Amino acid sequence: MVTAAAAAANRRGVTAPRPSILVPFGVASLGIALFSVMDAVMKHLVLAIGTYNAVLWRTGTGAVIAGILFFALRSPWPAAHVMRIHLTRGLVGAVMAMLFFWGLGRVPLAQAIALAFIAPLISLYLAALILKERIERQAVFASLLGLAGVIVIFSGQAEADLGRDAVYGSLAVLASACLYAYNIILMRQQALVARPLEVAFFIPAISSSAFLLGAPFLLEVPQAGHWPSILSGALLAFGSLLLLAWAYARAQAQHLAPVEYTSFVWAAVLGWLVFDEKVSWFTLAGAALIVGACLIAATRREPDRVLQAETGITGAG
């Protein structure tokens, strides 16, 4: 909604101050942090029970948790045009997740995240094509700086021989990253027409429904010892979806896309602590460039008219 101060300023012919994106950027960063911890949990599950069962049980558990809250709070059912966005993102997310976690089980955590950094760069141009956002030089520079950080990281890993399986895993992560670029745009579209709890329910519900197509051939009930990891992974994904939906309702996709780069810092730390994956000086230098890119992106400020133009309304809840 338009605030009283903004309305008064408009009546006086004075342009109201543009809202800072620092808060949505920070919230999105926290959402990415939760997703990064979830990635580490999921790598453990993929190695323990396989990609299909790890993804299905985590996603299905998340759908149940979110569904309980969604129906308990008597949330309204989405309109048809909103449901189409839910279906699109849920189905894209299902393929994206299967590819990413299959690859994640075959390459180091930090390397998988680094490969996925192609997604925010692609999303900048998809945002211009789909959302009609104007690509600003500062946003492009931030993404290119983050990409430079990825190049530095790979220059330190060029001589590593991880085997053919790791090559296939890397290709799967790259394919997932291309889908994730589109997912970033869908996230923005979805956040503008649906509340966070609605997003957090329909995405895992639709994705897990798609996964069930393979149940007659691949489904296995996990042993009791795996359920704490499945539950924690579901809760982390649920919290991340809520936070990202809130942030993307309040800032343009091109301004929040570079926040994805912070996931590398988490991946490097978690890979070292949990999977004993070493972090080189090249990795640290690349991470520094990535964080710098995010700080540059966070200094942008977005006018209210962009949000109004995209939705036809004066705010998003």
Side-chain angles (χ1 to χ4, degrees):
M1 296 178 64
V2 177
T3 64
N10 288 336
R11 286 194 298 270
R12 294 192 302 269
V14 177
T15 302
R18 295 182 297 176
S20 171
I21 71 159
L22 287 175
V23 172
F25 194 91
V27 171
S29 297
L30 180 56
I32 293 297
L34 295 185
F35 250 138
S36 300
V37 178
M38 186 269 292
D39 285 343
V41 172
M42 285 298 293
K43 177 165 184 171
H44 165 74
L45 283 172
V46 166
L47 295 174
I49 63 177
T51 304
Y52 175 82
N53 284 285
V55 175
L56 172 64
W57 288 105
R58 190 271 293 172
T59 307
T61 301
V64 170
I65 293 171
I68 291 172
L69 291 174
F70 181 82
F71 290 107
L73 296 175
R74 298 182 179 181
S75 301
W77 197 257
H81 72 284
V82 178
M83 182 58 78
R84 283 194 293 270
I85 298 176
H86 291 333
L87 283 170
T88 302
R89 188 181 171 201
L91 294 175
V92 169
V95 180
M96 179 184 73
M98 196 64 71
L99 286 169
F100 179 78
F101 290 118
W102 187 87
L104 187 61
R106 289 157 176 79
V107 298
L109 184 60
Q111 180 174 324
I113 299 300
L115 286 170
F117 283 158
I118 192 175
L121 189 61
I122 296 173
S123 74
L124 285 174
Y125 303 97
L126 288 177
L129 180 65
I130 299 173
L131 300 181
K132 309 303 179 185
E133 293 184 0
R134 182 172 60 88
I135 300 179
E136 301 172 1
R137 286 181 295 177
Q138 191 165 348
V140 174
F141 175 72
S143 289
L144 291 176
L145 183 61
L147 184 61
V150 175
I151 293 172
V152 170
I153 293 162
F154 272 107
S155 68
Q157 297 178 340
E159 297 181 0
D161 184 8
L162 300 178
R164 181 179 298 178
D165 207 33
V167 173
Y168 293 149
S170 297
L171 291 174
V173 172
L174 284 173
S176 176
C178 292
L179 289 175
Y180 190 65
Y182 182 39
N183 179 74
I184 292 175
I185 306 304
L186 291 171
M187 192 187 311
R188 171 67 167 164
Q189 291 180 320
Q190 188 181 45
L192 294 173
V193 295
R195 294 183 180 275
L197 181 57
E198 180 181 324
V199 173
F201 167 58
F202 278 99
I203 295 309
I206 293 169
S207 294
S208 56
S209 297
F211 293 143
L212 286 174
L213 294 174
F217 314 100
L218 301 171
L219 182 65
E220 295 179 4
V221 178
Q223 297 179 358
H226 297 308
W227 279 101
S229 295
I230 292 172
L231 181 59
S232 62
L235 289 172
L236 287 165
F238 173 67
S240 181
L241 282 170
L242 287 177
L243 293 170
L244 289 172
W246 186 95
Y248 271 83
R250 290 161 175 81
Q252 288 188 50
Q254 64 171 310
H255 295 153
L256 292 183
V259 78
E260 302 288 336
Y261 295 134
T262 62
S263 62
F264 178 81
V265 179
W266 292 104
V269 173
L270 292 169
W272 175 58
L273 291 176
V274 180
F275 302 103
D276 195 30
E277 297 169 352
K278 306 302 181 183
V279 181
S280 69
W281 286 107
F282 286 93
T283 299
L284 294 175
L289 288 172
I290 290 164
V291 172
C294 294
L295 293 175
I296 291 172
T299 61
R300 289 295 305 144
R301 299 168 67 87
E302 176 186 17
D304 284 332
R305 64 176 179 274
V306 174
L307 183 60
Q308 296 169 14
E310 292 177 0
T311 62
I313 57 178
T314 55

